[in-house]
Amino acid sequence: MGMFEGKIGLVMGVANDRSIAWAISQALYGEGAELAFTHLPSPSSERRVRALAEPHGPKVLLPCDVQKDEDLDRVFQACAEAYGRLDFVVHSIAFAPPQELRNPYVQVSRAGWHLAMDISAYSLVAVANRAAPLMTQGGSIITISYYGGEKVIPGYNMMGVCKAALEHSVRYLAWDLGRQNIRVNCISAGPMRTLSAAGISGFDELRDHALKKTPLGRNVEFEELGATALYLLGKMSGGVTGETIHVDCGYSIVGL
């Protein structure tokens, strides 16, 4: 029997088969979890996510624009009707307009700042607010960050500020939800070749630099992120909340 037999979770943020969210989903499926999914409200996104998830027979697979409260309400109502509860949520959602990533942070527009923060940071708050009532037996929420939320990573720009807000939101949500036995944690992943990484200027150079600098002498693998998610979502981390765990082959501990 797998560690997650009988457990039900919602995964938000799968873009394709090279998504961190999908790597986590595969790890969860391997341990017997039942998963619901959201996807971006576009036909191409639905096709990609449905092709990955449908072989597993999800009861809920819905479009969701996290800027729209009605979309979020519909997703969590569908989960309540299909499953009656949730044991965990995987939040892997981030976006900034391409020009706000290309431009120096000092040039970020007011509209671009608000849009990026709404999708990349506030969405976790909105999701946690709706997930908590369904976590009747306690639960776990995880989100995904990157070292650019702690230190300046040239080219990460606006997204680094969003990740800083996201990581501190994790701590406040952990405080707010802890007495309901709901834990909230964050994985700070090393640089991964994902769809969103394509929008980061100089990403290949950044990844090559990380490879040379890490104590392990390599970059992290998708499977390692999935394994860490199993730990944070499962009972083995029952005393862990409000934490950001770096899964980056040690890149974040090195100063020079």
Side-chain angles (χ1 to χ4, degrees):
M1 177 179 288
M3 291 189 295
F4 285 80
E5 289 288 344
K7 299 296 184 181
I8 300 162
L10 170 64
V11 179
M12 308 180 75
V14 174
N16 55 30
D17 62 349
R18 297 294 290 173
S19 299
I20 293 173
W22 182 243
I24 292 171
S25 300
Q26 288 180 299
L28 288 162
Y29 275 136
E31 293 295 334
E34 184 168 1
L35 302 179
F37 291 91
T38 64
H39 59 79
L40 289 172
S42 72
S44 59
S45 178
E46 179 178 4
R47 281 195 302 272
R48 288 194 297 267
V49 177
R50 191 171 293 280
L52 294 171
E54 274 201 333
H56 300 277
K59 295 178 183 175
V60 174
L61 199 164
L62 289 172
C64 184
D65 180 345
V66 294
Q67 290 191 282
K68 295 180 178 178
D69 288 331
E70 59 269 27
D71 277 23
L72 289 164
D73 290 341
R74 183 174 65 252
V75 166
F76 283 93
Q77 181 60 38
C79 288
E81 293 172 359
Y83 306 111
R85 73 174 204 279
L86 285 173
D87 298 301
F88 59 86
V89 173
V90 176
H91 171 279
S92 183
I93 297 169
F95 175 79
Q99 69 271 19
E100 310 297 5
L101 292 175
R102 288 193 298 267
N103 293 341
Y105 180 64
V106 71
Q107 296 177 11
V108 67
S109 69
R110 187 184 303 271
W113 195 96
H114 282 289
L115 177 62
M117 277 288 186
D118 190 7
I119 295 174
S120 305
Y122 178 72
S123 65
L124 176 66
V125 182
V127 164
N129 177 263
R130 290 163 173 81
L134 295 181
M135 293 182 166
T136 53
Q137 302 173 26
S140 180
I141 300 170
I142 64 169
T143 190
I144 308 299
S145 189
Y146 173 61
Y147 193 49
E150 300 171 55
K151 302 291 184 181
V152 173
I153 303 293
Y156 205 53
N157 302 338
M158 180 63 215
M159 190 53 64
V161 179
C162 291
K163 293 301 188 184
L166 180 74
E167 290 183 20
H168 208 44
S169 293
V170 165
R171 292 185 275 273
Y172 273 95
L173 291 169
W175 170 259
D176 286 347
L177 300 176
R179 298 305 171 90
Q180 300 174 52
N181 195 30
I182 297 171
R183 299 180 297 109
V184 187
N185 290 290
C186 179
I187 295 174
S188 182
M192 308 299 295
R193 292 193 186 280
T194 63
L195 193 62
S196 54
I200 300 171
S201 176
F203 175 79
D204 287 338
E205 291 85 351
L206 186 156
R207 187 171 162 85
D208 289 343
H209 175 72
L211 186 148
K212 296 171 185 174
K213 182 178 176 182
T214 60
L216 294 183
R218 62 178 178 83
N219 282 313
V220 69
E221 301 290 341
F222 279 100
E223 293 79 8
E224 293 167 323
L225 299 174
T228 304
L230 292 181
Y231 165 70
L232 289 175
L233 294 172
K235 62 183 180 181
M236 288 187 294
S237 62
V240 179
T241 194
E243 295 289 343
T244 295
I245 295 182
H246 297 88
V247 188
D248 60 2
C249 296
Y251 178 85
S252 57
I253 71 166
V254 180
L256 181 63

